[in-house]
């Protein structure tokens, strides 16, 4: 639904559709630790069109957060090495310095973090945190910034925005704080928004509100979004395309409908099956992925998922599968022995 | 939702029975209160899992903690196998807590970061073991004295006495100073306040008399305390020696029990016991928490959002583990969570809570098939469905924020956000009743709502 609406907006604004907003090629991020080099992101490539949503799904430790931080250059400066290419709006941004990135952060791309309590400044009024970037990037007076800030709070559905503007983060509930985080991120009208597990710390009811809000704002502002989550349920109805990460690599990437109709990678299938479904009777045994995510210092020679895969064959331990396109348009996966069932959805709801 | 009432309590013997539980916290000095939990009742049978579901701020965690008496409830009773936990001494309560254990939401921060896994899991055993050695009379006396002195200092009479005494003393002092200052100096420059000053002195003495009991009690207490502290090391020596002599045998037994508990939850014991909590992932840390709760072989485990901080894949592992342990040991669980899909998966009976009240009580399958309370339906439709064909925007998303628990809405507490609210809901608080068309007995479905959902709402 988002896709089609975003398409309409796309046509109206006559953006050159052939040139993607963000194109990441062979991005690799390594952290140098006493134990050795941790390859948290390993050769990730994807493109993102204007106004579209990419869902990045994976367990903790799969590198999904490091991926979004690598693109935004929000990693520590020491003992980190990034290689590859990140083109934003046809401009290489991987090698920009912090002072150059400052023109990109907030204005071109912004991020909504997972924990709204620790990512807002506890001793600064929320209003000030919102207008901080407005005053920095856009040449506006204090008064104008204030009225824009109040408008922003109103647009993220915060009741009594004038009153909330003068409050501190601890006076707000978790859902409200996350709304403020979104207002901060949206302040300068970024063209790309990273939402890094924006609802993991929240209740299901608030989660639905926040996800709807993000989607509304995205359509209104014709903004591209990268939605990072561990729950396939969160991205199912909201992302145009889904990329599944495991061990720092993309293991499957497809348009949302294709992925759910015809998932090929056993890991994607396992992620989907581990979600408890409300329509299943009580005490339905959940399917689990045994074992642990791979050690990113000593990556196995073969497929990273081989140790936990129910379909593992000798070849998987020897030869690492590459991300290769399948028959369906836009669908690619990295697996030697893909799941062949066409109805992975119906199977999982048994 | 205001649901009060206790018709949904069952007649059979329950392991845990909570009746009319109320927890209130004072706000400031104005006498206002946070009504965290208001008149909540439920019971748990042996080997049963009771799911408690609701948004944050609905009082579900406070309920769990009030059962453990941290802090004790304001009103209401908690019965563990018929034994009322109200009025138990600290020692008796420590024994009871062995049968009533708790698992917390954040697995990493609920384990002490500076202790090894062996020590963390063994701690409940150690506490119970040390309880078996009677303390020396000196140290018992010291404990009693310390708690009596603290209680005395906090007693309202002591506070009032001190305030009145100091006030009288200060008035006298002012009178004395003022009349002295106003008097004319004599030849040597000295001033004599005369009658005013001597009256001031009298008043100061009166203030002193009021304060005297406090001063005497405080001074005697301090002297006693110092004497006891000096005697304590010597008096405790026999106990210390006794503990030392049995330490080896206890340590060996603990080692095997800790190892068994860790293996039970799927943590390799040999490798893990010397490690620290930060070396484990969230899912493993939660398993260690479960091992710690299991080691005293409890009858009831209160799980306070045990999977909310975990990934879906790890969440499934922990849920399966809890199911296995329940089947193997016949433990009863109270499972608190905000996700109805998770609660439905693990529970035998579900309680839906909103703003400190119960809304609906039913078996999970009946609850899903035929929710009666509008809030239950809201909770249900908010769950993200992993199916791109279902538009998440079609779900009934609840708007607005939770009302303040300091001044909860009159009548039904859910009425401010309820699409079906009428004038009746403002006036009268709905009481828990048997839902229309529900079978009685064990599968009974109870709801506290003036306008419950009917068949046409479910389709």
């Amino acid at each position: 639904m988002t896709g089609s609406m975003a398409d309409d907006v796309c046509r109206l604004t006559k953006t050159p559709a052939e040139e993607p907003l963000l194109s990441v090629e062979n991005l690799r991020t390594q952290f140098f630790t006493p134990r050795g080099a941790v390859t948290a992101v390993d050769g990730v490539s994807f493109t993102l069109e204007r106004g579209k949503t990419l869902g990045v799904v994976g367990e903790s430790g799969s590198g999904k957060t490091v991926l979004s931080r690598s693109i935004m250059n929000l990693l520590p400066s020491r003992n980190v090495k990034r290689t590859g290419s990140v083109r934003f709006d046809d401009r290489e941004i991987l090698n920009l310095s912090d002072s150059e990135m400052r023109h990109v952060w907030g204005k071109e791309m912004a991020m909504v973090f997972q924990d709204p309590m620790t990512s807002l400044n506890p001793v600064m009024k929320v209003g000030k945190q919102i207008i901080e970037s407005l005053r920095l990037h856009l040449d506006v007076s204090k008064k104008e910034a204030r009225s824009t800030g109040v408008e922003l709070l109103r647009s993220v559905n915060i009741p009594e925005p004038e009153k909330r503007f003068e409050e501190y983060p601890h006076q707000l509930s978790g859902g409200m704080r996350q709304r403020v985080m979104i207002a901060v991120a949206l302040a300068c009208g970024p063209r790309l928004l990273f939402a890094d597990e924006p609802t993991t710390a929240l209740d299901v009811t608030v989660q639905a509100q926040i996800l709807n809000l993000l989607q509304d704002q995205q359509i209104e502002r014709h903004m591209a979004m990268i939605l990072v989550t561990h729950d396939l349920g969160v991205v199912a109805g909201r992302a145009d395309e889904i990329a599944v990460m495991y061990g720092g690599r993309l293991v499957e990437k497809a348009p949302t409908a294709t992925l759910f109709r015809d998932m090929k990678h056993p890991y994607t299938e396992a992620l989907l099956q581990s979600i408890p479904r409300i329509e299943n009777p009580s005490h339905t045994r959940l399917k689990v992925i045994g074992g642990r995510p791979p050690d990113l210092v000593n990556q196995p020679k073969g497929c990273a998922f081989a140790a936990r895969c129910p379909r593992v064959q000798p070849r998987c331990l020897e030869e690492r599968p590459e991300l290769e396109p399948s028959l369906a348009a836009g669908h690619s996966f990295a697996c030697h022995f893909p799941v062949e069932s066409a109805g992975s959805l119906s199977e999982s709801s048994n | 939702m205001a649901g009060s009432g206790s018709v949904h309590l069952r007649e059979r013997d329950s392991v845990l029975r909570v009746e009319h539980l109320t927890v209130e916290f004072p706000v400031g000095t104005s006498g206002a209160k946070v009504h965290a939990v208001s008149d909540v009742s439920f019971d748990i049978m042996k080997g049963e899992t009771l799911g408690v579901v609701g948004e944050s701020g609905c009082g579900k965690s406070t309920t769990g903690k009030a059962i453990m008496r941290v802090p004790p409830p304001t009103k209401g009773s908690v019965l563990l196998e018929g034994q009322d936990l109200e009025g138990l001494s600290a020692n008796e309560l420590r024994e009871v807590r062995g049968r009533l254990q708790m698992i917390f939401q954040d697995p990493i921060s609920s384990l002490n970061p500076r202790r090894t896994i062996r020590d963390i899991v063994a701690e409940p055993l150690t506490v119970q073991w040390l309880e078996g050695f009677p303390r020396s009379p000196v140290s018992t006396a010291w404990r009693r004295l310390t708690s009596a002195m603290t209680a005395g200092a906090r007693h309202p009479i002591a506070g009032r006495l001190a305030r009145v005494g100091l006030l009288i003393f200060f008035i006298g002092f002012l009178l004395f100073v003022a009349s002295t200052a106003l008097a004319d100096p004599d030849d040597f420059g000295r001033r004599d306040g005369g009658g005013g000053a001597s009256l001031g002195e009298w008043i100061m003495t009166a203030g002193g008399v009021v304060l005297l009991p406090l001063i005497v009690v405080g001074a005697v207490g301090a002297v006693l305390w110092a004497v006891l502290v000096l005697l304590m090391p010597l008096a405790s020596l026999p106990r210390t020696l006794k503990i030392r002599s049995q330490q080896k045998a206890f340590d060996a037994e603990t080692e095997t029990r800790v190892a068994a508990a860790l293996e039970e939850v799927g943590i390799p014991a040999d490798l893990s016991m010397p490690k620290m909590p930060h070396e484990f992932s969230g899912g493993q840390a939660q398993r260690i928490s479960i091992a710690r709760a299991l080691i005293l072989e409890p009858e009831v485990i209160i799980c306070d959002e045990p999977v909310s901080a975990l990934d879906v894949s790890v969440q499934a592992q922990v849920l399966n583990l809890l199911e296995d342990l329940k089947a193997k040991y016949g433990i009863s669980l109270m499972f608190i969570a905000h996700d109805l899909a998770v609660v439905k998966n693990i529970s035998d009976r579900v309680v839906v809570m909103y703003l400190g009240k119960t809304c609906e009580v039913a078996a999970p399958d009946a609850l899903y098939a035929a929710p009666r309370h509008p809030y239950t339906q809201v909770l249900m439709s908010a769950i993200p469905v992993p199916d791109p064909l279902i538009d998440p925007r079609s779900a009934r998303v609840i708007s607005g924020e939770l009302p303040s628990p300091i001044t909860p809405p009159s009548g039904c507490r859910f009425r401010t956000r309820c699409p079906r609210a009428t004038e009746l809901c403002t006036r009268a608080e709905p009481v828990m009743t048997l839902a229309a068309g529900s079978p009685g007995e064990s599968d009974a479905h109870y709801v506290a709502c003036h306008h419950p959902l009917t068949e046409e709402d479910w389709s």
Side-chain angles (χ1 to χ4, degrees):
Chain A
M1 182 209 76
T2 336
S4 63
M5 285 191 75
D7 278 350
D8 295 343
V9 183
C10 211
R11 233 169 289 131
L12 286 174
T13 50
K14 287 184 183 148
T15 322
E18 61 271 11
E19 163 211 317
L21 178 69
L22 178 75
S23 109
V24 175
E25 248 172 82
N26 209 10
L27 182 66
R28 172 195 275 260
T29 303
Q30 286 182 305
F31 296 96
F32 298 100
T33 67
R35 279 182 63 222
V38 176
T39 313
V41 175
D42 192 1
V44 169
S45 305
F46 67 87
T47 58
L48 181 63
E49 306 282 334
R50 286 154 215 278
K52 296 276 188 175
T53 305
L54 173 74
V56 178
V57 184
E59 286 173 286
S60 356
S62 63
K64 54 195 194 307
T65 297
V66 177
L67 172 66
S68 49
R69 290 184 181 226
S70 302
I71 297 171
M72 263 191 95
N73 199 356
L74 285 177
L75 295 170
S77 51
R78 284 163 174 247
N79 296 327
V80 179
K81 191 173 141 208
R82 295 185 303 152
T83 56
S85 143
V86 177
R87 297 189 74 78
F88 180 78
D89 204 14
D90 226 16
R91 177 170 164 227
E92 180 64 49
I93 58 164
L94 190 75
N95 301 318
L96 294 189
S97 67
D98 274 8
S99 55
E100 288 168 314
M101 274 311 279
R102 215 157 276 144
H103 298 289
V104 178
W105 290 328
K107 202 173 169 195
E108 303 287 345
M109 43 172 86
M111 193 181 254
V112 176
F113 297 93
Q114 173 173 1
D115 186 350
M117 189 71 246
T118 50
S119 35
L120 288 172
N121 186 340
V123 293
M124 205 192 233
K125 286 177 183 167
V126 298
K128 200 168 176 203
Q129 303 192 41
I130 293 171
I131 60 175
E132 201 182 15
S133 60
L134 278 174
R135 298 267 292 152
L136 181 73
H137 290 301
L138 313 173
D139 189 22
V140 290
S141 72
K142 246 185 182 159
K143 215 171 162 193
E144 284 168 340
R146 192 194 151 88
S147 67
T148 318
V150 172
E151 267 325 297
L152 273 164
L153 282 181
R154 201 188 310 279
S155 71
V156 294
N157 302 333
I158 289 188
E160 303 174 83
E162 290 90 358
K163 190 180 146 216
R164 297 294 184 196
F165 198 81
E166 300 295 333
E167 289 189 342
Y168 289 93
H170 75 266
Q171 293 169 287
L172 307 174
S173 69
M176 286 281 200
R177 276 183 222 136
Q178 196 59 288
R179 285 168 202 274
V180 171
M181 272 302 294
I182 293 172
V184 171
L186 294 178
C188 293
R191 286 185 287 165
L192 174 60
L193 183 71
F194 289 90
D196 185 5
E197 304 242 14
T199 58
T200 303
L202 305 173
D203 278 3
V204 277
T205 47
V206 186
Q207 163 168 297
Q209 292 172 7
I210 295 287
L211 291 172
N212 286 352
L213 170 69
L214 280 172
Q215 208 171 357
D216 291 341
Q217 291 294 326
Q218 187 191 5
I219 294 167
E220 199 182 306
R221 293 161 185 267
H222 190 232
M223 179 174 69
M225 181 157 76
I226 294 184
L227 182 57
V228 177
T229 175
H230 64 87
D231 188 348
L232 270 170
V234 167
V235 287
R238 302 180 196 268
D240 299 296
E241 204 179 7
I242 293 178
V244 182
M245 274 191 92
Y246 185 78
R249 305 176 131 239
L250 291 189
V251 293
E252 187 159 15
K253 187 160 75 75
T256 307
T258 314
L259 184 86
F260 279 92
R261 196 173 56 238
D262 191 17
M263 48 183 58
K264 291 289 187 194
H265 203 283
Y267 178 63
T268 317
E269 194 190 34
L271 268 185
L272 182 67
Q273 289 176 346
S274 61
I275 302 174
R277 309 289 284 267
I278 185 110
E279 58 282 6
N280 290 355
S282 178
H283 302 294
T284 303
R285 190 82 184 163
L286 295 168
K287 290 199 181 161
V288 300
I289 314 172
R292 296 187 61 185
D295 181 359
L296 296 175
V297 176
N298 305 306
Q299 286 256 24
K301 189 163 98 190
C303 174
F305 188 56
R308 305 166 77 188
C309 183
R311 314 166 62 85
V312 63
Q313 306 273 337
R315 187 181 162 200
C316 303
L317 300 171
E318 290 303 315
E319 191 186 325
R320 175 177 284 183
E322 292 302 324
L323 194 66
E324 276 162 18
S326 84
L327 296 174
H331 188 179
S332 44
F333 59 89
C335 184
H336 295 308
F337 304 99
V339 184
E340 42 304 84
S341 72
S344 39
L345 256 184
S346 57
E347 190 188 84
S348 66
S349 55
N350 280 338
Chain B
M1 357 252 35
S4 295
S6 52
V7 283
H8 55 288
L9 291 180
R10 289 161 287 189
E11 291 303 314
R12 286 176 291 146
D13 285 343
S14 46
V15 177
L16 186 73
R17 191 177 171 96
V18 172
E19 284 176 41
H20 307 293
L21 189 83
T22 302
V23 183
E24 287 163 356
F25 301 106
V27 190
T29 49
S30 60
K33 281 182 216 147
V34 174
H35 300 266
V37 181
S38 308
D39 197 0
V40 165
S41 306
F42 56 83
D43 52 4
I44 307 177
M45 299 292 151
K46 184 158 177 58
E48 187 182 60
T49 303
L50 179 83
V52 179
V53 66
E55 282 174 282
S56 33
C58 77
K60 52 194 195 303
S61 294
T62 313
T63 307
K65 286 179 184 158
I67 294 170
M68 297 292 289
R69 302 188 69 76
V70 276
T74 319
K75 272 195 289 240
S77 61
V78 175
L79 299 140
L80 182 67
E81 295 195 302
Q83 181 189 15
D84 197 335
L85 304 192
E86 178 81 54
L88 292 186
S89 71
N91 285 345
E92 289 167 318
L93 205 57
R94 209 167 288 134
E95 190 272 325
V96 165
R97 287 209 182 107
R99 295 189 277 147
L100 189 61
Q101 285 286 304
M102 199 157 178
I103 304 169
F104 300 92
Q105 174 169 3
D106 185 345
I108 303 283
S109 65
S110 57
L111 303 178
N112 187 333
R114 303 182 57 162
R115 303 185 67 189
T116 61
I117 299 308
R118 177 193 286 109
D119 289 350
I120 288 170
V121 179
E123 170 130 34
L125 287 176
T126 316
V127 170
Q128 294 246 317
W129 180 66
L130 289 178
E131 213 47 38
F133 298 91
R135 292 181 185 281
S136 73
V138 174
S139 108
T140 318
W142 177 83
R143 273 163 180 257
R144 289 231 177 103
L145 180 73
T146 313
S147 59
M149 298 257 300
T150 321
R154 287 190 188 141
H155 199 276
I157 290 180
R160 220 167 290 158
L161 214 59
R163 231 171 294 150
V164 170
L166 283 173
L167 185 72
I168 294 172
F169 185 85
F170 190 63
I171 289 171
F173 181 68
L174 271 185
L175 192 64
F176 177 79
V177 170
S179 34
T180 310
L182 289 176
D184 294 322
D186 63 8
D187 300 342
F188 304 101
R190 289 178 306 198
R191 295 163 193 258
D192 182 6
S198 52
L199 183 66
E201 273 171 3
W202 275 109
I203 295 177
M204 276 197 275
T205 317
V209 170
V210 175
L211 288 176
L212 196 65
L214 291 181
I215 295 168
V216 169
V217 168
V220 170
V223 169
L224 264 178
W225 189 86
V227 170
L228 289 174
V229 164
L230 287 175
L231 286 177
M232 214 163 10
L234 202 63
S236 304
L237 204 59
R239 181 173 185 262
T240 314
L241 290 176
K242 209 165 151 198
I243 291 174
R244 278 283 149 79
S245 69
Q246 296 180 23
Q247 181 96 43
K248 263 211 175 107
F250 171 74
D251 281 350
E253 195 207 327
T254 306
E255 185 88 6
T256 51
R257 281 182 74 177
V258 168
L262 285 173
E263 293 290 348
E264 194 68 63
V265 296
I267 297 282
D270 296 344
L271 287 172
S272 314
M273 277 178 11
K275 287 192 182 174
M276 307 294 253
H278 70 89
E279 295 174 73
F280 293 89
S281 68
Q284 288 175 310
Q286 197 58 287
R287 286 165 186 272
I288 293 165
S289 288
I290 296 173
R292 176 175 61 179
L294 274 179
I295 199 153
L296 290 176
E297 294 162 10
E299 275 142 47
V300 181
I301 300 183
I302 297 174
C303 311
D304 187 2
E305 304 241 18
V307 294
S308 304
L310 305 177
D311 276 5
V312 279
S313 53
V314 184
Q315 165 178 297
Q317 294 173 7
V318 172
L319 289 175
N320 282 350
L321 172 67
L322 286 172
E323 286 274 41
D324 292 343
L325 295 174
K326 188 185 100 174
K328 190 165 171 190
Y329 296 105
I331 309 171
S332 308
L333 298 178
M334 176 175 165
F335 190 92
I336 300 169
H338 62 79
D339 186 335
L340 197 52
V342 171
V343 169
K344 186 186 176 207
N345 183 275
I346 196 165
S347 307
D348 300 303
R349 200 168 147 99
V350 177
V351 174
V352 181
M353 281 185 76
Y354 181 82
L355 205 65
K357 294 275 186 182
T358 35
C359 305
E360 192 164 3
V361 180
D365 293 320
L367 192 74
Y368 171 68
R372 310 295 168 125
H373 204 288
Y375 181 61
T376 312
Q377 202 179 30
V378 166
L379 279 183
M380 214 138 69
S381 63
I383 298 164
V385 189
D387 184 348
L389 302 176
I390 295 172
D391 179 8
R393 309 303 296 256
S394 65
R396 272 167 250 254
V397 173
I398 191 170
S399 58
E401 289 273 304
L402 205 66
S404 162
I406 299 171
T407 49
S410 65
C412 174
R413 289 193 180 177
F414 185 55
R415 67 176 167 83
T416 51
R417 300 165 84 188
C418 181
R420 303 165 77 92
T422 60
E423 189 265 333
L424 173 67
C425 306
T426 321
R427 230 172 346 108
E429 180 184 2
V431 174
M432 203 55 104
T433 45
L434 192 65
S438 150
E441 288 307 301
S442 55
D443 280 344
H445 192 145
Y446 296 93
V447 64
C449 182
H450 291 307
H451 310 289
L453 302 175
T454 52
E455 228 158 296
E456 54 211 73
D457 300 304
W458 303 329
S459 49

